[in-house]
Amino acid sequence: MQRKEKEKHRRRVHISRRNVLDLCITTAIVAVTTGASALLVKWTDSSANVTALYMLAALLVARTTEGYGWGILASVMGVFAVNYAFTDPFYKLNFTAAGYPVIFISLLLISIITSATTGSVKQQARRSRASEQRIRRLYEFSQQLANAHDTDSMIDLTLRYLHELLGCPVLYFQNENSLVNNQERVCGEISGFVSDSIERGAVEACFREKKAAGAGTLLAPYAMFHYIPLMSGETMLGCYGLLWKDNPIDEETMEHVRAILAQTGISLERQMLAEERNRAALAADREMIRSNLLRSISHDLRTPLTGIIGASAAIEESGDRIGAVETKKLAADIHEDAEWLLRMVENLLSVTRVSQVTNLKKSEEAAEEVIAEAVARCKKRYPDAQISVHLPEEMLFVPMDVTLIVQVLINLIENAIRYAGTPVEVSLRRQNGNAQFTVRDFGPGIPKEQRDTLFETTQVHADSRRGGLGIGLTLCRSIIAAHEGEISEINHLDGGAQFVFTLPMEENT
């Protein structure tokens, strides 16, 4: 409110200064015209052209001052000057001589009409410039709306724009529940008004009737705020409030405000539809993950469980006859199959984590430490594995869900160890604003017939008695996609498969 009072005081001071300036301009032009007329009469010994000079003076005043009044004042001053100084009897006001009333009234009307026409043209030009400026600002606002990434940023952008345009507090209600819960968004200094029953009634009327309510309307006219519905077609998306009580907004500005809100409504509806499509696509992805998971479970869990059952039954039924060496080998097979099942459970937990969230809770992590953790866990399971790590000189910080990215690296490294043997190379580098992770082995590579569906279905590996890459690669693709990254595989010309995935180093908002 203090800001608004200061703005009103500043406007009053500006108007007062402008009036003084216009008065000085009018007086100066009339005085100069009078002097020029006196010289002209002295030089030509005729006052025939004096009237034209004063008409020109009225035009100049109308052109250089604000409004109609100063041009009309100059016209009246000119008529009196002509009658007083340049018409017989000189230096006396006399409008009663034969023919004088008609002549001077005609001159006065011509001067007034000319001055008013000039002022009208100037005001039209001013309105045209203001209209052009509003159109340009509306275009710039539309560009900013197009660059907004979500509905919240669009709503806040409109709040700030209206606050800067009108110089008054502006607020937004998404629905009537946000009114009840005091969850309105505010731009500008304001507090406590929501508890006012009049304001509550105005907001409720705006939502109920889907039209403007509050100050300046017939719906709750005693409210302090003027509430405007944010519409998109027949759908009401929210309600904006403008503090109007002490400073009503002119109709031209209100037309601009309505255009802004109409543009906001269209953009909001488009963004909501896009978000709905994204949610539908995400639900489809989650369903695909579940389908792949069920297929993989039936394929990947059956073999190790059968091995465990067979080996344990052999030990139980024939342990005394098969000898200690064979018993130890069967126990090792049971242990290996149990570790396989443990990894499968870890992947299942990761799948559940990815499929149940819309947005991952990411934090900036040092990529080098993530690689170190994954390598350490793989070395614990495969102590004889040769795993080399190549890191850049700079420290790379990447927004990620660290648990899931560690699981991706573990899956890729363990696949390389199981199906290609060692050595395995893990490397990291920066590329085009992304962190690029690479896991390479030196085995036979991925068979050509498996590459097209490598990340989509269960793949059978010819040398693996457990028979499959499992859900690991499908999970890897889902995790990387949830991080807005990419994953791919290539076979090296000199042998071996290489899996590469990238993560954005700056989180998209």
Side-chain angles (χ1 to χ4, degrees):
M1 295 299 293
Q2 293 180 353
R3 176 181 175 182
K4 192 167 186 178
E5 290 298 328
K6 291 180 180 178
E7 181 67 18
K8 291 173 65 176
H9 176 70
R10 186 188 67 79
R11 290 177 180 175
R12 287 195 296 267
V13 171
H14 173 74
I15 293 173
S16 177
R17 289 177 178 175
R18 184 67 205 187
N19 288 339
V20 172
L21 177 61
D22 288 343
L23 178 61
C24 293
I25 291 173
T26 302
T27 304
I29 291 177
V30 172
V32 170
T33 303
T34 301
S37 298
L39 292 175
L40 181 63
V41 169
K42 185 176 181 180
W43 182 47
T44 62
D45 197 24
S46 172
S47 61
N49 296 319
V50 171
T51 302
L53 288 178
Y54 279 101
M55 290 179 64
L56 177 61
L59 286 174
L60 289 175
V61 170
R63 180 69 182 84
T64 55
T65 57
E66 295 287 338
Y68 301 97
W70 299 109
I72 295 174
L73 177 62
S75 300
V76 174
M77 291 172 66
V79 169
F80 276 89
V82 170
N83 183 270
Y84 181 79
F86 302 105
T87 304
D88 187 37
F90 297 103
Y91 307 113
K92 290 182 180 180
L93 292 174
N94 183 7
F95 292 96
T96 61
Y100 280 1
V102 175
I103 293 174
F104 286 115
I105 290 174
S106 299
L107 290 176
L108 179 61
L109 289 176
I110 292 172
S111 298
I112 290 175
I113 292 172
T114 305
S115 176
T117 302
T118 303
S120 176
V121 170
K122 189 170 65 174
Q123 285 195 359
Q124 288 179 2
R126 189 182 301 113
R127 290 194 190 99
S128 298
R129 289 193 298 270
S131 177
E132 180 182 355
Q133 184 179 14
R134 284 194 294 269
I135 292 173
R136 185 178 66 253
R137 295 186 67 178
L138 181 60
Y139 173 76
E140 293 173 354
F141 177 76
S142 300
Q143 294 295 106
Q144 294 175 351
L145 273 181
N147 293 330
H149 296 289
D150 52 46
T151 55
D152 287 339
S153 60
M154 290 180 178
I155 292 169
D156 292 338
L157 175 64
T158 305
L159 273 174
R160 292 192 302 270
Y161 181 87
L162 294 178
H163 177 62
E164 293 172 1
L165 173 68
L166 305 175
C168 68
V170 182
L171 54 121
Y172 173 79
F173 293 102
Q174 184 174 358
N175 49 49
E176 291 183 83
N177 292 331
S178 52
L179 168 66
V180 174
N181 299 326
N182 291 332
Q183 294 177 342
E184 71 277 3
R185 301 188 189 186
V186 180
C187 187
E189 297 180 4
I190 181 174
S191 62
F193 87 94
V194 178
S195 62
D196 191 324
S197 59
I198 297 178
E199 299 298 328
R200 286 178 176 270
V203 176
E204 291 171 355
C206 182
F207 277 99
R208 182 178 63 253
E209 302 295 335
K210 295 184 179 181
K211 61 182 180 180
T217 72
L218 297 178
L219 293 175
Y222 298 106
M224 294 176 59
F225 277 73
H226 179 77
Y227 299 98
I228 310 174
L230 179 63
M231 304 293 295
S232 179
E234 297 298 323
T235 304
M236 185 170 179
L237 305 177
C239 169
Y240 279 92
L242 315 174
L243 186 57
W244 191 329
K245 182 177 180 181
D246 298 325
N247 187 24
I249 302 169
D250 62 86
E251 186 59 29
E252 288 186 1
T253 303
M254 279 305 303
E255 285 297 325
H256 183 60
V257 170
R258 295 187 190 102
I260 290 296
L261 295 184
Q263 186 67 38
T264 302
I266 293 172
S267 299
L268 272 178
E269 185 178 38
R270 185 185 302 117
Q271 181 65 27
M272 289 176 178
L273 291 175
E275 291 177 358
E276 184 64 29
R277 287 195 298 269
N278 290 338
R279 285 192 291 269
L282 184 61
D285 288 341
R286 287 199 295 263
E287 186 60 33
M288 184 184 67
I289 291 174
R290 293 189 185 98
S291 299
N292 288 338
L293 176 61
L294 291 175
R295 290 197 299 268
S296 298
I297 287 176
S298 63
H299 181 276
D300 285 340
L301 295 186
R302 185 182 297 110
T303 301
L305 285 174
T306 302
I308 290 174
I309 293 172
S312 59
I315 293 175
E316 182 181 10
E317 296 173 0
S318 308
D320 296 336
R321 297 193 302 274
I322 60 177
V325 175
E326 187 64 24
T327 299
K328 185 176 181 180
K329 182 177 181 301
L330 292 173
D333 289 341
I334 292 174
H335 179 76
E336 186 176 354
D337 285 332
E339 285 190 339
W340 174 274
L341 290 176
L342 176 62
R343 288 191 293 272
M344 288 294 300
V345 171
E346 291 175 348
N347 281 339
L348 290 174
L349 293 174
S350 296
V351 168
T352 303
R353 185 170 181 175
V354 172
S355 63
Q356 287 182 347
V357 296
T358 302
N359 295 312
L360 297 177
K361 294 182 179 180
K362 294 183 281 188
S363 60
E364 285 200 350
E365 304 287 345
E368 293 83 350
E369 295 179 2
V370 175
I371 290 176
E373 180 179 350
V375 170
R377 289 173 61 178
C378 290
K379 290 285 288 184
K380 184 176 180 180
R381 293 175 180 173
Y382 302 94
D384 297 329
Q386 300 177 21
I387 305 174
S388 59
V389 179
H390 305 280
L391 301 175
E393 295 182 359
E394 62 174 328
M395 184 77 74
L396 301 184
F397 290 91
V398 185
M400 67 173 76
D401 184 315
V402 64
T403 302
L404 294 178
I405 297 302
V406 167
Q407 189 63 43
V408 169
L409 288 168
I410 289 175
N411 285 344
L412 296 179
I413 294 172
E414 288 190 347
N415 281 343
I417 294 173
R418 289 199 305 271
Y419 303 129
T422 56
V424 175
E425 291 182 355
V426 182
S427 61
L428 171 69
R429 66 168 180 157
R430 179 196 292 267
Q431 185 183 45
N432 299 328
N434 298 320
Q436 184 185 84
F437 297 77
T438 303
V439 177
R440 181 190 176 186
D441 62 55
F442 294 86
I446 303 296
K448 183 177 180 180
E449 62 273 11
Q450 295 182 5
R451 297 184 64 185
D452 292 340
T453 56
L454 187 61
F455 295 98
E456 299 178 4
T457 59
T458 301
Q459 300 295 315
V460 178
H461 192 286
D463 296 331
S464 173
R465 72 183 182 85
R466 288 170 186 80
L469 297 179
I471 66 171
L473 292 180
T474 301
L475 172 63
C476 290
R477 186 195 62 173
S478 300
I479 292 175
I480 299 304
H483 283 77
E484 301 181 6
E486 297 179 354
I487 185 170
S488 60
E489 180 276 336
I490 61 172
N491 282 337
H492 269 280
L493 294 177
D494 55 351
Q498 176 174 291
F499 287 86
V500 180
F501 68 89
T502 58
L503 299 178
M505 296 191 65
E506 292 186 2
E507 187 169 0
N508 295 328
T509 56

